[in-house]
Amino acid sequence: MIQHRKGLVLDFGGVLTTPLLPAALAFERRAGLAEGTLLTGLYLNPEGIRLTEELERGTLTQTQWNEAAGRLLGIAPDNLMGRIFADLRPETAVIAAAAAARRAGVKVGILSNSVGLTPWNLYDGYEVDDLYDAVVLSELHGTRKPEPEIFRLVLERLGLPAEECVFVDDTEQYLPPAAALGFTTVHAVEPARTVAALENLLGVALTDARPEPTAP
């Protein structure tokens, strides 16, 4: 017998938004950078990795990150984070599924490795404080995924054990640490697949399957 989960924990960027990589590639084209410049300079370069981890922990401000990353890439630092991710949009299918889960009695939280809140705020317009039962942003707590403490924080705020929760992230490397704590995990690759997996695990309908009305 399937035991349906009572809680849902969602990553933000790349899960409740459109994917990060296409946005970054679009920025490279706008900035006249060779494809892969961001990946190489910020996520494969040890200094770039250090800067991003410090930003996520809240020990570096977004403005400081913009300046340091701009130097690494050889480009202007002004609102660099906002320029990189200017093309991100809400992932409406997953947002709607989260709302449907909540209406069905599932507790829904956000667990995000944040990227600073100023001068650009990734979460603006998403009403995260109103539409979710718990919101844990890494910079506000000095810990980041995949560290166990940040997962425990969101569980505490939801009032549920990990064994009763599903964790969804587009970054695959964050799933095994969550699973080790007891979460059932879903790798967010494509929104329809993510929603279908959640319907099965939560045991509730998350899409509006009603037929379109026909003309009399």
Side-chain angles (χ1 to χ4, degrees):
M1 180 178 177
I2 296 175
Q3 180 182 355
H4 293 128
R5 288 8 180 230
K6 299 176 182 177
L8 172 60
V9 178
L10 300 163
D11 175 39
F12 189 83
V15 175
L16 294 172
T17 76
T18 50
L20 306 182
L21 181 58
L25 292 175
F27 167 75
E28 288 177 341
R29 291 191 292 271
R30 289 194 302 272
L33 300 173
E35 185 173 309
T37 297
L38 288 179
L39 177 65
T40 301
L42 299 179
Y43 300 105
L44 297 179
N45 179 312
E47 176 63 8
I49 293 170
R50 182 189 70 79
L51 290 171
T52 297
E53 289 188 358
E54 288 190 10
L55 175 67
E56 292 171 345
R57 289 185 192 283
T59 58
L60 199 69
T61 68
Q62 189 185 103
T63 296
Q64 290 170 325
W65 183 93
N66 287 340
E67 292 168 353
R71 285 194 297 271
L72 279 179
L73 298 172
I75 58 177
D78 307 72
N79 190 29
L80 180 56
M81 185 70 76
R83 285 157 48 213
I84 290 172
F85 292 120
D87 287 353
L88 288 183
R89 296 293 181 268
E91 193 62 83
T92 55
V94 181
I95 291 171
R102 213 169 165 228
R103 288 194 300 271
V106 176
K107 291 187 176 181
V108 183
I110 290 175
L111 178 57
S112 177
N113 276 357
S114 47
V115 293
L117 300 175
T118 183
W120 178 71
N121 188 340
L122 172 63
Y123 312 99
D124 266 353
Y126 287 83
E127 300 179 86
V128 294
D129 291 326
D130 297 326
L131 299 180
Y132 301 89
D133 298 294
V135 179
V136 174
L137 308 182
S138 62
E139 69 180 280
L140 302 180
H141 303 282
T143 181
R144 59 184 289 277
K145 292 178 289 186
E147 294 163 0
E149 180 56 29
I150 198 165
F151 291 102
R152 295 190 181 108
L153 275 171
V154 74
L155 290 170
E156 179 181 323
R157 294 187 175 199
L158 289 175
L160 292 170
E163 290 79 8
E164 293 185 3
C165 294
V166 181
F167 173 62
V168 182
D169 206 305
D170 64 320
T171 302
E172 194 170 12
Q173 72 192 59
Y174 297 154
L175 301 180
L181 292 173
F183 283 92
T184 298
T185 61
V186 173
H187 186 204
V189 176
E190 194 278 325
R193 286 167 54 190
T194 298
V195 172
L198 292 178
E199 286 187 322
N200 182 54
L201 291 167
L202 300 175
V204 295
L206 301 179
T207 56
D208 186 351
R210 291 174 296 180
E212 293 292 325
T214 55

